[in-house]
Amino acid sequence: MPDRAPAAPAVPAVPSLQPTRDPRVTLDDLLEVVLNKGAVLHLDLIIAVADIPLIGVNVRAAIAGMETMLEYGMLRQWDEATRAWAERSGSRGLELRDGERLITRMFGGHRLTGEVYSGWRPGSVHLTDRRLVVLRREPREVLWEAELAELESAALETERAVGGEDRTRLRLRLRDGGEALLSAAEPERLHRELLEQTPGAKALAAADGGGGGTAGPAGKDGHEGHLWYHEPRRGGAMWRGGRGRLDAGGLSWKSPVDARPALVLAPGDLLGVRLEERDNPAGSPYTLVLDTPGGEVVLAADALPDWTGPLHRMAAGGTGQEDGESPERRRDDGGPHR
Amino acid sequence: MALTVDEKSLKHGVLTLVVTLVEVIQEALERQALRRMEGGDLTPEETERLGEALLELDEAMKEIKDEHGITVSVADLHRGLDEVVDDVVDKLVNPARWAEEAGPGGGSGTGTGTGTGTGTGTGGAR
């Protein structure tokens, strides 16, 4: 299938008022068009058995973005009432005590470790000059709260998420023996500002809570630049240009006309890196072939050496982390005769 | 072929599906929010609240995806959905493609007019 770029029509019959469309339509685009235009459905349905009607359905529905709804004069009062109610219900942020000052606020969460459910509960972390609070806005709940005076120590630790990515977390210990693990958008900044507020707390060195980070720092082992990707499609693969990005999180490739990366490769999925002499649109005789569990990924770049080095290192470092959690299968050599 | 469904793969699959659908909804909400902000009948305070809430949602989604290691599979599925939509829209816009796909000899009745008329005829490779 050749490129479906809007080519000049051979016979410019009616050059104006021709329907046009992007070379790629995404589900999100489709949904946006539907919501912006609005859709109305009137449906009458009779369910019959042996020509005897038994159940009747009559549906009248309209769905549209609120802006479109208001344009057509629908739901206007409700919209206003909803917003007025939110206005009346007052501040939604953290209620500060008298004389309390908000130092910083960022997205974050609190790790709940319970009997039934353990997991991260996202919200936002508020640091004031007296308290540290993790607050969830909708539905409103204080997920975790501690007085700074109660804080014994704060340490940054690295945690390996299930996805194999290293995340920096903040572990707090309180004087009463309580403990909490918080996530934050900028954990280092939160840690620093927290310690500035509580000189009495010990800043413990970062404890390494996961298998030592094998992935190098993004700065040293990362690379970003133009990259060609031989994208597999239903009608056969085709070369497309775009930007590749290689960092500790893996390799991703995105075309400027796409809404999201077409290629996302975690470090552990890179099994091998080869150079092969194949035709490619870049100015190099060699094409880059990556072996992955899902098959070959074919790339081409004008500046190959910039990519091959980091990729080789990623392939070498991305192994050796298999979860050795196969359930033990005891071979039951039961009695000789049962 | 025997399919082994263990707890891990089931969780992974179901979670991927759910998170992808939530992502689609999130995208729609963000675009409508943008329209409302441009519409100009929101107060600055409301605009700020809306923006913060959407940002918070985005962070929460990232966190969930990372924590369960489904970032890649969600991106894959989302992209797969996009391809299906792209394909369907493409067919609706170019009824000529149907006959093409039916292959030679299958050029029977052309599609019911979709009202686009003027087949732009970006004929495929032959």
Side-chain angles (χ1 to χ4, degrees), chain A residues 4 21 25 27-29 32 35-36 65 68 70 79 83 137 162-163 167 169 231 234 260, chain B residues 8 27 31-32 35-36 39 41 46 52 56 63 66-67 69 78-79 82 86-87 90 97:
Chain A
R4 290 206 308 271
R21 66 186 200 88
V25 181
L27 178 59
D28 301 324
D29 294 340
E32 186 182 21
L35 288 177
N36 288 359
T68 308
L70 295 174
D79 170 66
R83 281 162 49 201
R137 195 193 297 256
V162 183
R167 311 297 298 262
R169 310 293 191 198
E231 187 176 20
R234 223 167 282 151
R260 63 188 59 84
Chain B
K8 204 170 169 184
E27 182 79 23
R31 293 185 186 205
Q32 293 306 318
R35 261 185 91 212
R36 276 219 89 163
D41 60 351
E46 277 174 328
E52 266 183 14
E56 227 162 85
E63 192 74 32
D66 285 350
E67 192 194 341
H78 208 140
R79 214 181 140 69
D82 287 352
D86 188 51
D87 220 51
D90 183 51
R97 286 201 187 281

